[in-house]
Amino acid sequence: TKTESVLDINQSNRVELYQLVHGQGLGTKCSIFYKYWAEEYDKVDDFKAADRIFQLGMSLRAQPEKDLVDAHM
């Protein structure tokens, strides 16, 4: 069988992966985690969802905070 690489999964599955990882408490204090998660929503023009992800990262005080704030602009 063909092994699917992380790069080959579709946008919906990538969002689910971020949700799963976040639910496990992994990466929740790292600003880059929220930046890349939000970018998945940006790719499909779901800017409200992207904003929610940035707000979530900021509310959890992900670090470095400046990187998250800059990426959200």
Side-chain angles (χ1 to χ4, degrees):
T1 63
K2 179 185 170 202
T3 303
E4 189 176 69
S5 77
V6 174
L7 297 176
D8 292 336
I9 62 175
N10 64 35
Q11 190 271 342
S12 176
N13 288 340
R14 286 191 299 266
V15 167
E16 289 176 20
L17 180 60
Y18 280 106
Q19 291 168 338
L20 175 68
V21 169
H22 186 265
Q24 295 293 316
L26 302 172
T28 60
K29 297 295 184 184
C30 184
S31 61
I32 199 164
F33 175 79
Y34 298 98
K35 176 183 180 280
Y36 287 125
W37 187 0
E39 283 180 3
E40 292 303 323
Y41 287 111
D42 281 340
K43 290 176 187 176
V44 294
D45 297 330
D46 190 347
F47 303 115
K48 285 180 130 179
D51 182 61
R52 282 195 306 270
I53 298 304
F54 279 114
Q55 295 300 326
L56 176 61
M58 287 185 251
S59 73
L60 294 173
R61 301 187 184 279
Q63 297 297 316
E65 186 176 7
K66 182 185 182 322
D67 291 352
L68 193 57
V69 171
D70 290 348
H72 189 237
M73 298 176 106

